[in-house]
Amino acid sequence: GPLDAMARVARQVVDQRDYSLRARRTTDDEIGVVVEAFNRMLDEVQSRTRALEQSNAALQAEVRVRETAQRSLARANARLESTMAAAEIGSWVWDLGADEVTVDRNVAALFGSDDETSLGDDPALRRRLIYPYPTPAVAAASAVEAGGVLASTEYRVVRPDGMARWVVARGKVQLDSAGQPALLAGVLIDITA
């Protein structure tokens, strides 16, 4: 009888996923001990299930918050890109540690390209971004001395189609936690008009 009761409870738990069900202990012998152990196992499963459900609910709430934040960020980025494109302003970042340059599509357009990724690998572009400095280290050192601001510089860009554009470059240096230059970041503004 007690084993049949345990089997019925086990089937109900599996079918209904209700871990609050318990088999009734009717004896104090070995079978009673098995029933008690079964019920304690169900207690533990129920406790862990509740914890997992709470964790799942918290993670789902976090996912919703992140998705909302990502949508908001995407809208803000779209507005910023539109505004910068309308004003003919492009942005760039030079990671000094990795020696990697990232430019946006507006900088690519100023240089007559539709591929901003390839422009980051162009050494001539790198020199133009921080003109008149010969190296990023010199630019960073000069910027640190000037309160973190790169000297504002006007110069001409000749695009592959032969069209010349005049731009002004402005930027800042960002320091790492040790106070050393880590990034140069700035904008190019088309001042041809």
Side-chain angles (χ1 to χ4, degrees):
L3 291 178
D4 286 341
M6 275 182 16
R8 274 193 306 279
V9 168
R11 270 194 293 282
Q12 287 176 317
V13 166
V14 169
D15 292 344
Q16 300 170 14
R17 303 202 54 83
D18 180 358
Y19 297 103
S20 66
L21 299 172
R22 298 294 179 267
R24 198 166 62 94
R25 181 177 178 173
T26 58
T27 65
D28 289 332
D29 59 5
E30 292 86 4
I31 297 296
V33 171
V34 171
V35 170
E36 185 63 30
F38 175 75
N39 287 336
R40 286 186 181 166
M41 179 189 70
L42 287 176
D43 289 340
E44 182 66 23
V45 169
Q46 182 180 19
S47 172
R48 289 181 185 217
T49 299
R50 281 187 189 140
L52 285 172
E53 288 170 347
Q54 290 170 351
S55 178
N56 257 357
L59 287 172
Q60 288 172 351
E62 178 68 23
V63 165
R64 285 190 297 276
V65 166
R66 285 182 185 227
E67 287 172 344
T68 300
Q70 286 175 338
R71 283 192 301 274
S72 295
L73 180 60
R75 282 192 300 272
N77 280 340
R79 280 193 309 269
L80 178 61
E81 285 181 15
S82 296
T83 302
M84 289 181 68
E88 296 181 304
I89 299 172
S91 64
W92 55 271
V93 175
W94 193 326
D95 181 332
L96 298 173
D99 194 27
E100 293 176 353
V101 174
T102 305
V103 301
D104 69 6
R105 74 181 95 187
N106 296 334
V107 166
L110 284 171
F111 280 84
S113 174
D114 59 358
D115 182 14
E116 64 265 22
T117 57
S118 68
L119 289 176
D121 297 328
D122 182 352
L125 173 64
R126 291 179 186 212
R127 286 192 297 278
R128 286 181 165 167
L129 286 174
I130 58 168
Y131 181 86
Y133 301 104
T135 67
V138 172
S142 298
V144 169
E145 290 174 14
V149 178
L150 292 168
S152 182
T153 307
E154 295 177 14
Y155 57 95
R156 186 174 68 147
V157 173
V158 180
R159 297 171 9 162
D161 63 5
M163 180 183 221
R165 307 298 294 174
W166 282 91
V167 296
V168 61
R170 295 185 180 142
K172 291 190 84 162
V173 66
Q174 295 176 14
L175 305 177
D176 63 16
S177 59
Q180 297 301 308
L183 296 173
L184 297 176
V187 294
L188 287 180
I189 304 169
D190 188 335
I191 58 170
T192 305

